[in-house]
Amino acid sequence: MDIIEVEKHKILCEDVKKRVQKKFIEKGWITVSDNEIHAGLVEDSKVPEILDNYSWDLMRGDGLPDIEVEWKGSKKLRKYRRFGNGNCEPFVFYIKGNKNYPDHIELSEEFRLFLRLNERSVSNEKKEYVFLRSDGTEDIVAELSGLQLEIKLEYLRKYLSARGINLVIFFDYDYCSEYTYSELGISPVSNELTKDKEYVYNYTNYYNPYEPKFASFCNMRGKCVLFHESIEDGDDELGNDDKYVKFIIGYDEKGNEVKFSCDQDLLSNYYCRRGNSPLEMTPVFFNKEVLDKYYSNPEKYSVSDGYISCDGFWSLKVDNNHKEYVIVMLVDLGRLSYREQLYWKSFNIAPPRKSGLSETMYRRWILGQFCDPNSPDALFKQRFMSFNKRWEETFEWRLFLPLTKGDEYLFQSLHCMTTSDNVREFESQILALVKLTVDSLNQKKLVENIDKENIDVKEKLGSRIFGIDKFELFLISNSCPDRDTIITFLRCLQNLRSLTVAHRKSSDHKKMDCVNEYFKLEEMNKRDVLDNIFKNMILSMSFLEEVFIKGNKDAKCCLVP
């Protein structure tokens, strides 16, 4: 459009009229406040009166809590008024400022409390109101910037539905143009009233003697109502739905996959049969990659032996001791949110022909027995914690120092690989494991406990020594048997980290050949290599515990070849 058409469009308030018809809703969000808009709440019985005229029923700044004064004869009575002015309750509260404090608005506290919204400051000017879903995900419900306030419509509708109240939006738009009405091809009108069952407004053109540089002016003033739904028609409150996903649980006689809902009310159990429905304890199988989402965000999710949890929002019993699959009982999947169920569904597979629960989870879930995990990562974490504790109880210092706060996530996210040859995953786990063990050796205490008079120690003290060197001298000083086995393993592990992960891939073929030969990198897939490294760390700690805590000087350090 040329400039004349643009100005004509604005003087006729065409865009404003379209926004009113849409109740200021755009792409799932509704504007309830800006420089020309204000909003309140109105009961059903008051709507006809509200829509009877275009005047605002609630001015900015009105309806705030106040003291209401009433005279009865000569007696002055004071009464506290929560808010509102009879017809309309504020939804947006406007607070007048001064030169030190700018004008600002507040979103209805009742709305925020109903949805349990969390306030997040983005900047001095901008705030976000965040809803935490039952699955731990965040949803921004409202955005406030200056006098501009926008709300996600689905949440506003839930609030209106729950209260059985309607939202009324008041608007007052002005525009002026340098072009005359004649140049714009407009015939000026005065007080053109438009009424509908959902809105009413007055449009007028006028002359403004205080703005001589402008030749044409317009004003559009009115209100529109967003009606509430009946509470029976609305979704469930606060974003928690009752939908359930169907998961693959087996095959029928024709070889077709059988799917069934994870809704507990539809499942059979050992005490009550519901037709031909499967048992609550029907195992459902998933690719191991389902865990990647949780491993990659340790600040939010925790993956432990037999459990996945989300920052206090939910927890799920899982069989993550199986090497090839993750297994969850059908009924437990129904305790996840619908959104989380859909995530799990994307990794769902039919039960493999010759696969069941891991031995660990079979003994725990079916036999009701206590037993250690058999997954190398879970077993390593368990043994690492218990070994460090027993060592400290024996020597009053830890062999492995605790991680700094910035690295604590490394222990939480340490895990066996979910695929067989993911290089990035392999390297990240090697880096974490070395930081947790080799890099965390308590060098200060090791040096304090080195026998510097020992002949073998004297020979090595002449050169610059590092963490593993100090550990080796500690082992020599304490006459540790079979120490070369554990030192060789730790040096190779450190070289694996240094040559492939911590720095550019090494061109030192001699060193790389040694690392490749020790860990059999060219013979085995990376998942099996990492599993063996976990197992050898466990065996190394068992050997140290046998020698230093149990005092067995004839112990052998037997590692996985």
Side-chain angles (χ1 to χ4, degrees), residues 60-275:
R60 284 195 178 93
D62 287 351
L64 292 168
D66 204 351
I67 299 294
E68 191 175 79
V69 177
E70 183 179 333
W71 289 89
K72 283 197 173 181
S74 60
K75 190 174 182 180
K76 189 177 186 180
L77 301 178
R78 295 176 180 271
K79 182 180 179 182
Y80 178 76
R81 184 181 64 188
R82 286 183 62 216
F83 44 64
N85 60 0
N87 282 350
C88 201
E89 171 190 327
F91 184 66
V92 177
F93 292 85
Y94 178 87
I95 312 296
K96 183 69 175 175
N98 57 29
K99 64 179 181 179
N100 296 319
Y101 300 95
D103 297 359
H104 69 280
I105 58 173
E106 296 284 346
L107 175 59
S108 164
E109 187 175 67
E110 187 169 11
F111 173 75
R112 286 150 49 190
L113 292 176
F114 173 74
L115 291 170
R116 283 67 162 167
L117 299 184
N118 296 272
E119 183 178 308
R120 179 165 60 202
S121 179
V122 180
S123 66
N124 290 335
E125 286 288 319
K126 186 174 181 180
K127 293 179 185 177
E128 293 176 341
Y129 296 95
V130 181
F131 177 75
L132 300 179
R133 294 179 179 273
S134 59
D135 60 5
T137 57
E138 297 181 357
D139 204 358
I140 298 175
V141 172
E143 293 182 344
L144 171 60
S145 181
L147 299 181
Q148 176 100 6
L149 178 59
E150 296 174 307
I151 298 176
K152 207 166 189 178
L153 186 61
E154 64 171 300
Y155 288 93
L156 177 59
R157 286 194 180 279
K158 285 174 183 172
Y159 173 70
L160 298 178
S161 174
R163 282 197 61 185
I165 203 164
N166 310 291
L167 180 79
V168 56
I169 299 179
F170 306 102
F171 52 88
D172 192 347
Y173 285 89
D174 289 293
Y175 188 73
C176 46
S177 174
E178 297 177 356
Y179 296 91
T180 65
Y181 294 115
S182 177
E183 289 172 324
L184 296 174
I186 294 175
S187 298
V189 298
S190 177
N191 296 324
E192 182 179 76
L193 186 66
T194 301
K195 295 185 71 171
D196 183 84
K197 61 181 180 179
E198 296 183 338
Y199 58 82
V200 58
Y201 61 82
N202 181 71
Y203 171 80
T204 189
N205 304 122
Y206 62 96
Y207 172 70
N208 190 343
Y210 302 104
E211 296 285 353
K213 65 178 181 178
F214 296 110
S216 56
F217 304 83
C218 71
N219 172 262
M220 183 172 164
R221 181 180 177 89
K223 48 202 166 183
C224 61
V225 176
L226 176 68
F227 289 95
H228 69 83
E229 300 171 336
S230 67
I231 195 165
E232 293 81 8
D233 295 334
D235 294 333
D236 81 301
E237 295 177 40
L238 308 185
N240 300 319
D241 45 46
D242 293 325
K243 292 189 267 186
Y244 295 90
V245 165
K246 290 183 177 181
F247 290 94
I248 304 169
I249 59 172
Y251 296 93
D252 62 17
E253 294 178 353
K254 295 182 179 180
N256 298 316
E257 291 181 347
V258 174
K259 298 179 181 179
F260 204 86
S261 169
C262 57
D263 183 356
Q264 184 174 12
D265 292 340
L266 303 180
L267 299 174
S268 299
N269 55 52
Y270 294 114
Y271 306 102
C272 175
R273 295 294 304 185
R274 290 187 170 92

Side-chain angles (χ1 to χ4, degrees), residues 391 395 397 399 445-452 454 456-457 470-483 543-544 547-549 551-554:
W391 185 282
F395 297 102
W397 54 274
L399 180 59
K445 290 296 183 180
L446 288 173
V447 171
E448 288 178 4
N449 289 274
I450 289 175
D451 179 7
K452 299 177 179 59
N454 185 301
D456 293 332
V457 170
K470 295 172 184 175
F471 184 48
E472 182 181 15
L473 296 179
F474 171 81
L475 297 181
I476 294 172
S477 298
N478 289 275
S479 303
C480 177
D482 208 10
R483 56 183 173 268
F543 167 72
L544 292 172
V547 173
F548 288 93
I549 297 175
N552 182 5
K553 295 299 182 179
D554 296 322

